[in-house]
Amino acid sequence: MKLPLIYTCFSLVVTTLGTKLPSSFMKCDVKQSDFQQCLTKTVENAIKQMNRPFKEVNLLNLEPLEIPSMTIAAGSHVMYTQQVFKNMKVSGFNETTCSKVEFDTDSKILKLDCVVPNFRLEFDYEINGQILQISVYGKGSGWGVYFDNHLKLTLKLGEYEKKGKKYYNVVKQQLSMLMRDVDFDLGNLFDGDKEAADRIKKIFKENALEIYGDVRSGYEEAFGLVFASIFDRLLGKVPAAYLFGEK
Ligand SMILES: *[C@@H]1O[C@H](CO)[C@@H](O)[C@H](O)[C@H]1NC(C)=O
């Protein structure tokens, strides 16, 4: 009967103190003069380490990041089809570079400006509608790569207290996502009619950015929520004092 008692005491200590960031993560103190530069390096470095989960702080594995389902609404100019994705796996975060990560403690706004050179998606998909006035349908598995995917994420944080400690949470997110180019394949397009599929895929690739532009806000909304939830999970575990050396 000793073990449960020890375990209880231990978990009590942990919940009272909150969880610190993993020891392999760099740390920045909001009072240091180069806080913003420190944060930029720290966040980039942490993202690169996330090829495994950090369960103690609720961080998932990013290599790959698994998204069970994502539905992107039809556009209004060239992409007249809803896109349904299932079992999506996103990878390539290990090569992320961040040019700017800023946190303003007064407005509690966290801004990230990062590029993922090969943002790779693997998924099961379903589409049925019109793209560039061509009828398309297909259901199968596919992949896509967004080259130099430029992500600008803005998170508005709120704060609350738990057991005498200040914690942040994400109250609002906004994502801008724009890539230099796109490559993709959609298996089983037109029920496997390869000739028709190849013809269409060539047209779509030539117009990929125009097509993306029509549904961009849907992608930004969906991925914005995914990225915000990754931060929110971490923020729920690690008190503000352990994140930025705040008192
Ligand atoms: C990132 O991961 C990919 C796929 O596993 C690998 O090919 C690449 O070399 C990795 N890049 C770095 C910088 O570790």
Side-chain angles (χ1 to χ4, degrees), residues 63 92 94-95:
E63 220 57 52
N94 64 333
E95 294 179 343

Side-chain angles (χ1 to χ4, degrees), residues 169-238:
N169 61 343
V170 177
V171 293
K172 213 168 123 189
Q173 75 281 334
Q174 199 206 347
L175 178 72
S176 153
M177 181 164 97
L178 194 59
M179 61 294 297
R180 176 176 54 79
D181 202 1
V182 175
D183 192 10
F184 70 92
D185 196 14
L186 297 174
N188 204 39
L189 198 57
F190 300 122
D191 289 336
D193 179 343
K194 191 175 169 340
E195 204 176 305
D198 285 349
R199 197 167 54 236
I200 295 298
K201 281 187 283 194
K202 185 168 178 293
I203 296 170
F204 291 169
K205 275 180 206 183
E206 285 164 3
N207 297 278
L209 291 186
E210 188 193 343
I211 295 170
Y212 174 70
D214 198 27
V215 286
R216 179 177 172 184
S217 61
Y219 276 91
E220 290 174 333
E221 172 81 22
F223 279 106
L225 284 169
V226 169
F227 297 141
S229 101
I230 293 172
F231 277 92
D232 202 47
R233 291 167 62 98
L234 173 75
L235 297 173
K237 274 280 185 189
V238 184

Side-chain angles (χ1 to χ4, degrees), residues 21 26-32 34-43 241-246:
L21 287 169
M26 294 160 59
K27 314 274 175 337
C28 303
D29 192 314
V30 70
K31 290 187 291 299
Q32 72 191 78
D34 62 345
F35 174 63
Q36 307 295 359
Q37 291 97 308
C38 175
L39 207 53
T40 306
K41 285 202 205 87
T42 299
V43 169
Y242 294 156
L243 286 172
F244 309 118
E246 279 184 86

Side-chain angles (χ1 to χ4, degrees), residues 153-164:
L153 181 65
T154 304
L155 300 175
K156 167 89 177 123
L157 306 186
E159 63 178 54
Y160 63 98
E161 249 188 55
K162 191 165 70 182
K163 301 203 196 285

